[in-house]
Amino acid sequence: MYSGRHLKAWPGKTRYRHSAKLVLGGNTLGAQNDRIMNTKSSTQKQRQCGAQTTAVHAGEGNKHGVGVGVGTPIARTSTFTFSSTEEMKRWAEGKSKAYIYTRYGNPTLAVAQEKIAALEGAEAAVVTASGMAAISSALLGALKCGDELISTAQLYGGTYRLMRDVFADLGIKVHHVGTDLAGIERLVNSRSRVLYVESPTNPTVRLVDIAKAAQFGKQHKLISIIDNTFATPVLQRPIELGYDMVVHSATKALAGHSDVIAGAAVGNKHWMERVQHMVIYLGGSMDPEAAYLLNRGMKTLGLRVRKQCENAMAVAKFLEKHPKVARVFYPGLPSHPDHKLAKRQMRGFGSMLAFDLKGGLSAARRVCDRVQLFLLAASLGGVESLVVLPAYTSHYNMSEEELLRGGVTPGMVRVSIGIEDSADLIADLQQALA
């Protein structure tokens, strides 16, 4: 828990370790390239650091010396050599941790994995080709035919459609529950295997009591998984509450510059080995160039999130007072139904908000068509501020009943706040709403 201390106490009491272990992928992933991955001295290794320091330095190895590159090297290769057939035999027998092929592991990917694991306070991490690759690999690593999944109904549309359109064909039954978890006890049976939550939710920015959900999972021996994309590990660290796995669309805030597609899962070594195997089998591996961009983006994560939180609060307050706005969804506002919960379990209120217009869909379209500084684009978490209509993007191909259950209205505009000056963002919305 983050003791309710928000941006004024940045980075607060929560500290981060550099010493999170890298996932080794069972018998398949290799030892770290010594030049890239050597850790600091034992004294430095044990010292706990703040979030921004961790974002810059975790996973980067020892860079002190003469002629050492400050930037993260890119291992731009598909395959790796062996010194002999005997060494290759040792790898096949699980006795060697050498790199063999980038789908199995790569030094640049290893840097990203250690950095994300350290930020989340987890034992290990796996990076993937996209957020959906991380989500599907985590879920398929924990579920099999005949299992049942309990999930919050308010989810990113891609996750919801995966559960709706794919899991039924795999013999996996999905039960949905509200963000308040009301009635969740009635959904548990002998086949229940996984509890999946998203908090804050996409696009309605509702919160789940993540400590309560984690406790429920432990009580019923469920594998608990949470999508932490909106919050980022800067604002909440679910692993500390007992979650088995945390997933991210690293495309969003972790990378932060709208220039890479990436995903990540974190957890203990056991679950990350399962996720890594799913990535190897299904092919959702990250490219080294993407890993480089992710590593570079994460180095400014804390700075970006702080500015985005400040901007989002200013924009939310402006929108709440506008006569054409029916309702604003931002957990930093006292009017938000989960405001007290957000103060308790998050270290800031995030960069995401949504608002409903009194004029419905036509009014929402008009605003999105009139913005000049905001960009009309899907995705979120980047340095640029974006607006989008969820009904046309993340929540397309859903029935009215499904949209209602997910809290999505036709007149809803989702806003991803960037790092621009808040006065300029407000001025743009003011003219778009005029």
Side-chain angles (χ1 to χ4, degrees):
M1 296 299 235
Y2 292 102
S3 69
R5 299 180 65 184
H6 291 274
L7 297 176
K8 63 183 179 181
W10 195 278
K13 293 183 177 179
T14 300
R15 311 301 285 173
Y16 296 70
R17 292 186 182 273
H18 286 298
S19 57
K21 297 179 181 178
L22 289 177
V23 62
L24 300 180
N27 298 332
T28 57
L29 293 184
Q32 295 82 4
N33 179 305
D34 288 340
R35 182 173 61 87
I36 297 176
M37 298 303 299
N38 277 346
T39 57
K40 303 285 186 180
S41 70
S42 59
T43 301
Q44 290 171 304
K45 184 177 179 181
Q46 293 173 359
R47 184 181 184 277
Q48 297 182 15
C49 296
Q52 185 53 48
T53 302
T54 299
V56 173
H57 294 288
E60 297 287 335
N62 185 3
K63 291 189 173 182
H64 293 278
V66 178
V68 179
V70 172
T72 306
I74 306 174
R76 177 73 278 174
T77 183
S78 60
T79 191
F80 299 85
T81 61
F82 285 88
S83 61
S84 65
T85 57
E86 180 60 29
E87 183 63 24
M88 187 173 286
K89 178 176 179 289
R90 281 172 45 78
W91 178 88
E93 294 171 343
K95 299 176 182 178
S96 167
K97 296 178 179 179
Y99 290 112
I100 180 173
Y101 193 65
T102 287
R103 180 160 56 87
Y104 289 72
N106 178 290
T108 312
L109 274 62
V111 175
Q113 290 172 163
E114 184 166 354
K115 198 179 292 290
I116 294 170
L119 282 167
E120 284 284 6
E123 188 178 49
V126 174
V127 291
T128 61
S130 68
M132 283 307 303
I135 292 165
S136 59
S137 295
L139 285 168
L140 292 173
L143 292 163
K144 64 181 184 302
C145 181
D147 285 343
E148 296 192 5
L149 161 69
I150 302 171
S151 172
T152 46
Q154 293 196 22
L155 294 171
Y156 165 60
T159 308
Y160 181 88
R161 288 186 292 273
L162 169 70
M163 294 178 181
R164 182 192 67 185
D165 301 338
V166 177
F167 280 10
D169 292 338
L170 299 179
I172 299 169
K173 187 173 182 179
V174 181
H175 300 279
H176 288 295
V177 67
T179 54
D180 60 1
L181 306 178
I184 192 172
E185 298 85 358
R186 296 192 297 271
L187 301 178
V188 180
N189 59 52
S190 60
R191 295 180 296 278
S192 300
R193 178 67 171 160
V194 169
L195 173 64
Y196 185 95
V197 302
E198 182 177 292
S199 184
T201 62
N202 185 352
T204 55
V205 205
R206 292 298 305 270
L207 271 67
V208 175
D209 186 330
I210 58 175
K212 179 180 177 181
Q215 184 178 13
F216 180 86
K218 286 186 177 299
Q219 179 184 350
H220 294 277
K221 298 182 180 179
L222 303 176
I223 301 156
S224 55
I225 306 175
I226 182 172
D227 185 332
N228 202 32
T229 299
F230 270 26
T232 80
V234 174
L235 301 183
Q236 68 185 20
R237 300 213 297 175
I239 292 293
E240 295 176 346
L241 301 177
Y243 281 83
D244 294 296
M245 289 186 266
V246 176
V247 292
H248 286 272
S249 174
T251 305
K252 312 303 192 296
L254 290 180
H257 292 79
S258 304
D259 56 6
V260 63
I261 301 293
V266 305
N268 63 31
K269 183 177 178 181
H270 166 74
W271 285 116
M272 291 305 99
E273 286 177 351
R274 292 283 296 170
V275 172
Q276 185 69 65
H277 289 151
M278 297 310 301
V279 171
I280 291 170
Y281 299 148
L282 300 178
S285 54
M286 180 178 283
D287 182 85
E289 296 281 353
Y292 168 80
L293 290 172
L294 175 57
N295 283 321
R296 186 178 68 172
M298 282 192 287
K299 292 182 180 183
T300 59
L301 176 63
L303 302 177
R304 289 185 283 104
V305 169
R306 180 178 186 177
K307 177 61 175 174
Q308 288 166 324
C309 287
E310 293 172 353
N311 281 351
M313 180 64 82
V315 169
K317 288 180 177 179
F318 160 76
L319 288 170
E320 190 171 45
K321 295 177 181 178
H322 199 282
K324 292 185 179 180
V325 174
R327 186 180 181 187
V328 179
F329 302 84
Y330 186 64
L333 296 175
S335 59
H336 191 283
D338 304 319
H339 177 65
K340 291 182 179 178
L341 176 60
K343 289 178 67 176
R344 188 169 75 245
Q345 72 182 22
M346 297 178 69
R347 291 190 61 246
F349 300 116
S351 64
M352 299 302 299
L353 61 94
F355 62 96
D356 278 336
L357 285 153
K358 293 179 181 178
L361 178 59
S362 61
R365 291 184 62 175
R366 184 177 184 273
V367 168
C368 290
D369 288 338
R370 284 172 56 86
V371 291
Q372 297 173 3
L373 184 60
F374 283 84
L375 303 177
L376 180 58
S379 198
L380 56 100
V383 295
E384 314 88 356
S385 292
L386 309 176
V387 294
V388 76
L389 298 176
Y392 289 168
T393 53
S394 62
H395 286 67
Y396 77 95
N397 191 25
M398 290 191 186
S399 67
E400 290 185 10
E401 180 184 349
E402 288 173 317
L403 291 174
L404 180 63
R405 185 167 53 186
V408 179
T409 63
M412 177 177 286
V413 178
R414 190 191 74 181
V415 185
S416 173
I417 297 294
I419 63 170
E420 303 95 338
D421 293 301
S422 60
D424 295 325
L425 296 175
I426 290 170
D428 188 32
L429 288 172
Q430 193 165 27
Q431 67 80 26
L433 285 160

